[in-house]
Amino acid sequence: MIGRTFHNSKHPLSIHDLKEGEKASDIVPEAVKGKVDLIPINDDNVNETAELNGTRTPLAKIRTKELDYNRIHSNSLLPEYKADPYIIDYNLHSKEFQETMTCPKEIAETSNQCFDREVYNFLCKWVQSHEDNTLLRFDQSLDEYIANDALRDFFLNTQHPVQQLLKNRIIACHLGRRAIGVYFDPISGDPLLAPTEQRIYNLARRMDSEQMHIPFRSDHPNKQTEAGDTAAISTYPIGSEQIRYNSGNHFISRPANGNVFDENSKRCTAKSAGNLHVLVKRGFLEDRLQEIKELTVETHSTGETQLQYFVIYSRHSLKEGHFGASLVIMDPVNPYFPKRVMVCDTLLKELPQHPRWWNHFIAEYSNVFGDAIVEIIEDLSHPLQKVNIKGDEPYRHDWDCPYYVASMTDALAMLVKNDPKLLLEASVQDIHSAMKETMHDYYQPDRKIKDRTEIKQVNKLKRWNSGREVIKDFVVEISRKSSYEI
C-alpha cells in the first residue's frame, strides 16, 4: 500500500487528509466531485497502466514521478504517511498553476479542515494526560475549551511546543507543505491558513526565542487575540486603525526576521572557496569591512599574493536596516586599501543615477578605508525593489530586499568563480549585464527585468519556502534527537 493518486486531477488533496478506514472519495469536496479519478494502487494492479496526460503510463511510474503529491505537498524529510493507497498527480506546468501559483481554494479548505481535525484530536489526548495544566479551562466543556483555550494552555505548559506538535507527522506535513498546496488570495497574496494553523504561528511568535517565529506567517502580538487568532481591525483601539493597519498585516509585505537571514547566510556562504569569501553575518556593513581589512592583513603576513574577492551581504547600520551587497577586491600586497569596490542597492532606479542608500555606502566605506575610497566606489545596483508609496494598500508594499540582495550576492559569487577577470577589468555596465544572466528569478533570458507581477509571485513563493526551511530544521532536529535517544 504505497502512496496515493488522484489521477489526472487538477485538484490536489492532502497526503494527510484521510483517516484510517476512510476512502479518498469520502473527503472529496462536492465542488470537485466528478473532476477527479481515483486509482487505488495495491499488489494486484501495481503493474497495470493508466492514462496520464494522454499516455498509457504504469501505475508504479505515476506513483513515483516528479509530480507525485508526496513530494509536492510534504517535506521529503518527513516520514511518508501511508493510511490509504492513493497518490496524486498535479500538473505543476499547467496554465492554471503557472498563472496563479496557487492551489484551488476548495482543496485548500478541505486540507485545512482535516488539519484542524487532527489538531483537535492531538489536544484531546493532551488534555486527558495533562489535566493539571488546563489552567484556562474554568467551566468550559471539553469542546469549548479545545476550541478556545487548549492550544494556548499547551504552549504555556509545554517545553518546546512547536517541536512537540511536529512530532505528529500529519501536523508536520501540513505546516511544512509546499506552496502548491496553499491557496493565496489573488489580491492581497495572503495564504489561506487553517484557523488552528494561524494560532500555532501566532502563539509561536509570542515565545521568547526568535527561532520559533515561522517567517511571514504570524501576526505581531499586538495584532492577535488572547487565544492567538488574528485580531479584526475593527477591534483595534479607536484612533489606532490607520497606524496599526500596515505592511505587517499581510503575508507578502511583512518584514523578514532573523530566520530568513540565517537561511540566506547558510546558502550564500556555502559558495565560499579559495580566494572567494562570501560574508553573510549578523551585524552591519562596517563590521564586515573591518573584517575584510583584518583578513587581508593576515593573508599578507603569510606571503600570499593572489587577489582576494569579498562578497558582502549585510544591513547598513543599526539606524538604517536596509540590506545591500558589495564586491570588494583586495590585493594582499596592499592590504589597507581595496583594488576595486562595487556596491549593489535594490531600489527601482535607472543607472547611472545613484540609489537612495548611496550616502550610507559612502559613509561606511569611508569609516574603514578613509575618504579617498569615494573615488573608486562604483554603483552596480539592480532596480528590483518597488518604492513604497504612502497611502498605497499595505500588501502592495515591497519588503523583499533580503531576497533581492541574496540573488545579487549569488550572482557576484558566481562571477568570481567563472570570470574573475571580468570583475577586475570590465566596465560596471558589462558586469551589471553579466549578473542578469544568473539572476533567473528576476530577469528574463533576454536580460530584461521581469514584470512586477512575476517578481511578486517569485517572492511570494520564496517567503513561503522560508517558513518551510524553519519547519524542516525543526524536523531534522527532532529526528536527530530521536536517533540519539534510540
Side-chain angles (χ1 to χ4, degrees):
M1 306 290 273
I2 311 171
R4 58 192 62 190
T5 217
F6 290 91
H7 176 57
N8 279 344
S9 171
K10 293 183 179 178
H11 300 274
L13 292 176
S14 172
I15 182 177
H16 52 265
D17 285 342
L18 305 177
K19 296 295 181 180
E20 290 290 348
E22 203 172 36
K23 295 180 180 179
S25 55
D26 294 335
I27 65 167
V28 177
E30 291 296 327
V32 298
K33 281 186 177 178
K35 298 180 182 178
V36 295
D37 300 313
L38 305 180
I39 301 178
I41 294 178
N42 52 47
D43 294 337
D44 296 327
N45 69 359
V46 71
N47 294 318
E48 293 181 10
T49 63
E51 185 173 308
L52 176 63
N53 298 331
T55 305
R56 298 301 298 183
T57 307
L59 291 182
K61 185 175 181 181
I62 297 174
R63 184 181 65 222
T64 58
K65 68 191 299 294
E66 183 181 4
L67 300 181
D68 181 340
Y69 190 63
N70 291 344
R71 286 147 64 182
I72 293 172
H73 191 67
S74 65
N75 195 304
S76 60
L77 290 168
L78 299 175
E80 185 179 354
Y81 185 59
K82 302 176 182 177
D84 192 86
Y86 292 96
I87 310 171
I88 184 163
D89 170 50
Y90 186 84
N91 190 357
L92 278 169
H93 303 286
S94 68
K95 183 179 180 181
E96 177 186 13
F97 178 73
Q98 290 295 325
E99 289 179 351
T100 64
M101 295 285 187
T102 190
C103 168
K105 188 174 182 179
E106 60 268 25
I107 300 302
E109 289 173 338
T110 298
S111 182
N112 287 345
Q113 290 165 8
C114 293
F115 174 78
D116 282 340
R117 181 174 63 181
E118 184 63 28
V119 176
Y120 177 91
N121 293 336
F122 177 94
L123 290 173
C124 281
K125 293 178 182 178
W126 180 79
V127 170
Q128 290 173 1
S129 56
H130 296 82
E131 289 189 8
D132 292 343
N133 293 329
T134 57
L135 306 179
L136 301 173
R137 183 170 182 177
F138 301 113
D139 58 351
Q140 297 180 94
S141 68
L142 179 61
D143 279 347
E144 290 173 332
Y145 173 60
I146 291 178
N148 299 323
D149 298 300
L151 188 63
R152 186 157 55 120
D153 259 342
F154 172 77
F155 267 78
L156 290 171
N157 294 285
T158 304
Q159 189 174 16
H160 308 307
V162 176
Q163 289 91 328
Q164 292 301 317
L165 285 166
L166 290 174
K167 288 181 179 179
N168 179 304
R169 68 180 66 191
I170 303 177
I171 293 174
C173 282
H174 186 87
L175 298 182
R177 66 197 183 281
R178 298 179 186 273
I180 193 175
V182 183
Y183 173 79
F184 293 92
D185 185 275
I187 304 300
S188 69
D190 290 330
L192 181 63
L193 305 177
T196 310
E197 179 183 9
Q198 185 66 74
R199 281 189 182 180
I200 290 171
Y201 299 142
N202 283 349
L203 293 171
R205 173 77 177 267
R206 296 184 196 175
M207 299 176 68
D208 292 336
S209 173
E210 186 184 41
Q211 186 185 7
M212 298 296 108
H213 175 186
I214 309 301
F216 311 117
R217 302 189 193 181
S218 63
D219 300 293
H220 189 278
N222 69 11
K223 297 181 179 182
Q224 300 177 21
T225 66
E226 288 188 356
D229 297 324
T230 300
I233 295 175
S234 60
T235 65
Y236 290 179
I238 296 175
S240 72
E241 296 92 334
Q242 287 188 334
I243 297 174
R244 296 177 68 184
Y245 175 58
N246 52 34
S247 300
N249 289 69
H250 295 285
F251 173 81
I252 62 173
S253 58
R254 288 174 181 140
N257 68 356
N259 287 324
V260 177
F261 183 88
D262 292 341
E263 173 199 349
N264 287 331
S265 175
K266 182 167 60 175
R267 184 175 53 78
C268 291
T269 56
K271 294 177 173 62
S272 295
N275 64 336
L276 166 61
H277 313 270
V278 182
L279 306 180
V280 188
K281 300 179 181 180
R282 300 294 178 103
F284 306 102
L285 177 57
E286 192 170 328
D287 301 324
R288 302 288 73 78
L289 296 177
Q290 289 287 3
E291 183 179 354
I292 284 174
K293 183 185 281 187
E294 293 168 5
L295 288 171
T296 309
V297 169
E298 290 179 14
T299 304
H300 171 73
S301 66
T302 65
E304 177 62 66
T305 59
Q306 186 182 27
L307 294 179
Q308 303 296 303
Y309 293 79
F310 296 90
V311 179
I312 308 172
Y313 171 123
S314 69
R315 293 186 185 274
H316 284 290
S317 64
L318 186 62
K319 181 179 179 181
E320 181 46 69
H322 182 67
F323 283 99
S326 296
L327 172 68
V328 183
I329 303 176
M330 299 291 290
D331 185 349
V333 176
N334 179 20
Y336 298 101
F337 198 83
K339 191 171 184 68
R340 191 170 190 180
V341 175
M342 287 171 277
V343 298
C344 302
D345 193 26
T346 63
L347 282 176
L348 287 170
K349 70 177 196 65
E350 295 295 331
L351 292 173
Q353 299 171 358
H354 290 315
R356 174 181 305 191
W357 275 268
W358 178 257
N359 291 335
H360 291 279
F361 281 115
I362 295 298
E364 291 140 16
Y365 273 89
S366 297
N367 288 343
V368 177
F369 296 111
D371 293 339
I373 195 69
V374 176
E375 301 300 324
I376 72 165
I377 296 180
E378 300 170 89
D379 187 2
L380 198 58
S381 299
H382 285 259
L384 301 173
Q385 189 170 8
K386 173 182 173 290
V387 177
N388 294 332
I389 300 172
K390 187 176 181 180
D392 206 354
E393 289 288 352
Y395 54 77
R396 299 190 189 281
H397 291 180
D398 186 348
W399 295 99
D400 287 316
C401 58
Y403 296 118
Y404 300 133
V405 176
S407 181
M408 294 189 293
T409 300
D410 286 339
L412 288 170
M414 191 171 296
L415 287 177
V416 172
K417 288 186 174 183
N418 297 336
D419 197 352
K421 186 177 180 181
L422 177 81
L423 296 173
L424 187 62
E425 300 177 358
S427 69
V428 70
Q429 289 80 10
D430 288 343
I431 297 170
H432 192 266
S433 181
M435 290 177 70
K436 294 178 182 179
E437 290 187 7
T438 68
M439 297 171 65
H440 306 298
D441 287 341
Y442 302 116
Y443 287 98
Q444 299 171 358
D446 61 3
R447 303 183 188 179
K448 291 182 180 178
I449 192 168
K450 288 184 177 180
D451 179 82
R452 281 308 309 170
T453 302
E454 291 182 84
I455 290 176
K456 286 184 68 174
Q457 290 280 25
V458 167
N459 290 336
K460 181 177 70 179
L461 297 181
K462 286 178 181 284
R463 283 172 170 258
W464 185 262
N465 287 335
S466 287
R468 293 186 73 237
E469 282 297 310
V470 174
I471 292 167
K472 182 188 75 174
D473 288 344
F474 288 152
V475 173
V476 169
E477 181 66 14
I478 291 168
S479 177
R480 185 189 65 80
K481 287 183 177 179
S482 296
S483 297
Y484 179 77
E485 290 169 359
I486 291 173

